[in-house]
Amino acid sequence: MKTITAIAIIGLIGLASVSCSPERAALVEGKPGVQLWGENCMRCHNTPSPADFNDTEWSTVEMHMRVRANLTAKESEKIFEFLRSAN
Amino acid sequence: MKKIILPLLIIVFVGNLYAQQDSKPSKTQFMIRGYGSASFTLLNDEGEKESSFNTGNFAPIFLFKLSDKLMFETEMEFAYENGELETVLEYANVMYTLNDYMTIRAGKFLLPYGTFMERLHPSWINKLSSTPLGFGHDGIAPSSGVGVELRGAFNVSGSKFNYSLYSTNGPTLNDGSDEPEEAGILHFNNFEDNNNNKSFGGRIGFLPFTDSSTEVGFSFLNAKVGDTDSTYEDITASLIAYDFSFIKKINPLGGIIDIKAQYNKSIVDDASYIEVHDDGDEEEYTFANTSDSFYAQLSYRPTMSESKFFKNLEFVGRVSELNTPEGAEWESNINQKTFGLNYWLSWRSAIKVNYQITDGEGGHGGGLIDKKLFTIQWAFGL
């Protein structure tokens, strides 16, 4: 078991270091809310549309999902701003 | 029952008052959501056939957002089991955002032990009508805990990490004194602790790619599980889980491919338990108390199809297995294959048609297991 854990950890660190580059960071930084919505909100369930909720409801869902889905602060800010602007 | 329904109605009523003030939003935001399901099952258990309509379950969720940083969430689950209405408080916790990278939660919360229970178990999210082996009743994976948790997420040059660290009352060891056939099993639903030791656990998730399509996770949970002042006081349990998730719209395949998998392992220190024979004689026995379970699920939804009907269809397959300790009264080796065809009526409502084959040996009844289950379930998010 310990070996599996060790391999997993080494693998993770390896993947992390391979994937490190300033261009990638800038790419993620520059993603608009609509794209982050498309990429993230389908990871666990089907993607809701902006029209499914009103602004107040979206802001409640925002906090619920940010915590439950472990979204980064920036990500969730952009996604829910988009949802509130397009409903 | 009345004791629960009355406060519920009051909450619903007050909630509507808030909802009606949309043009002038109140500082406290309140929302009722939740989910439910109804199903029909046809079971063939070693040739014996049973069929039944099931009321399924109803699980209301109440969300109170008290400020931009403070929120309370609670979910109750109502289900009919053996002719009785069962009420379970699935979770009830308060969360406070400390900063961009840290949120603290306290109360009863779903444990981030792997991803199935925390993220995928609600019937409108779960793509099949059953849970994989190893979860839920008689499972080896904990689903919720009472305690405190710190969690958050951050970017590291284009990749994403998320973490959770928690301390809860922790699992309890069934020492067999009341239920000899369950000696050595861990129970996870503990509102009150059986000892002064608190469990410590956590999960780290890593999303290597910039499109968040892939996530791998590692979870652990360690605790002393025996009753204080009993011979089992120093028995510890250590649980680990690995999870994997991949989901992406793949153009050449014309739709979304979704893969989810989780491996759970539970190791409990060796201990002696007592077996009472039919003639009243008692015998001590022990066994290596290690269990594991695994599931992998693949689904495909042709979202890019021209036809509205095909667009809403989803094909699902899942394999799952559970192995509990050799030598225990609850020893079992079970395999399961589940196939499903879903029709999505909306983003949170589906008709699921499932066929599930379970075989193996052991479990509560002992002996060989050979079950075929056909289910039609209507799951809806509210």
Side-chain angles (χ1 to χ4, degrees), chain B residues 293-311:
Chain B
S293 75
F294 172 75
Y295 88 91
Q297 175 180 291
L298 169 70
S299 61
Y300 168 67
R301 186 167 166 193
T303 45
M304 290 153 80
S305 163
E306 301 270 299
S307 141
K308 197 168 169 257
F309 179 78
F310 277 112
K311 234 187 223 174

Side-chain angles (χ1 to χ4, degrees), chain B residues 37-41 52-56 129 375-378:
Chain B
S37 70
S39 63
F40 171 77
T41 55
S52 167
F53 283 105
N54 301 304
T55 42
S129 60
T375 311
I376 300 179
Q377 185 193 49
W378 182 7

Side-chain angles (χ1 to χ4, degrees), chain B residues 18-266:
Chain B
Y18 275 116
Q20 281 160 13
Q21 301 173 347
D22 252 342
S23 51
K24 228 189 206 180
S26 127
K27 216 162 174 243
T28 303
Q29 291 167 15
F30 171 76
M31 199 169 173
I32 302 181
R33 302 248 64 92
Y35 57 91
S37 70
S39 63
F40 171 77
T41 55
L42 200 69
L43 172 71
N44 182 333
D45 191 353
E46 290 173 53
E48 249 177 66
K49 292 190 179 134
E50 280 171 36
S51 70
S52 167
F53 283 105
N54 301 304
T55 42
N57 65 345
F58 165 56
I61 294 173
F62 304 95
L63 302 171
F64 298 82
K65 188 176 166 201
L66 304 164
S67 78
D68 283 345
K69 294 180 182 290
L70 189 64
M71 180 166 202
F72 176 78
E73 58 160 8
T74 182
E75 175 186 332
M76 268 163 278
E77 184 153 355
F78 300 92
Y80 255 106
E81 218 147 275
N82 305 324
E84 277 184 44
L85 184 66
E86 283 214 348
T87 322
V88 181
L89 182 70
E90 279 260 313
Y91 59 73
N93 61 73
V94 56
M95 49 192 129
Y96 184 79
T97 310
L98 295 169
N99 58 40
D100 280 1
Y101 311 103
M102 290 180 192
T103 298
I104 189 162
R105 290 205 288 176
K108 185 175 188 192
F109 46 86
L110 295 175
L111 288 183
Y113 177 76
T115 49
F116 186 81
M117 285 318 285
E118 195 195 33
R119 303 179 175 181
L120 307 170
H121 90 277
S123 55
W124 64 274
I125 300 182
N126 189 356
K127 295 184 188 301
L128 295 166
S129 60
S130 62
T131 49
L133 293 171
F135 296 94
H137 201 65
D138 286 339
I140 62 161
S143 56
S144 58
V146 180
V148 289
E149 180 203 38
L150 187 70
R151 61 156 58 202
F154 51 91
N155 275 311
V156 181
S157 19
S159 298
K160 216 163 34 175
F161 284 90
N162 57 68
Y163 71 90
S164 153
L165 288 171
Y166 56 83
S167 178
T168 63
N169 284 341
T172 309
L173 180 74
N174 191 328
D175 60 17
S177 43
D178 293 331
E179 299 149 312
E181 70 287 353
E182 301 218 331
I185 281 189
L186 293 180
H187 293 301
F188 298 108
N189 233 340
N190 304 312
F191 280 103
E192 284 168 39
D193 210 349
N194 64 327
N195 56 34
N196 288 324
N197 175 270
K198 299 291 163 260
S199 80
F200 182 65
R203 175 177 180 275
I204 175 124
F206 175 47
L207 294 91
F209 307 117
T210 52
D211 64 1
S212 300
S213 62
T214 310
E215 178 169 2
V216 286
F218 171 70
S219 315
F220 68 96
L221 171 60
N222 286 310
K224 282 191 180 175
V225 291
D227 290 348
T228 304
D229 297 331
S230 76
T231 50
Y232 302 98
E233 186 168 0
D234 288 322
I235 302 289
T236 57
S238 94
L239 278 62
I240 57 139
Y242 296 94
D243 59 77
F244 174 81
S245 162
F246 169 83
I247 169 154
K248 201 171 163 73
K249 186 159 151 196
I250 299 188
N251 291 340
L253 293 176
I256 295 175
I257 291 283
D258 186 341
I259 302 170
K260 299 269 182 328
Q262 183 171 336
Y263 173 79
N264 308 314
K265 182 161 188 147
S266 136

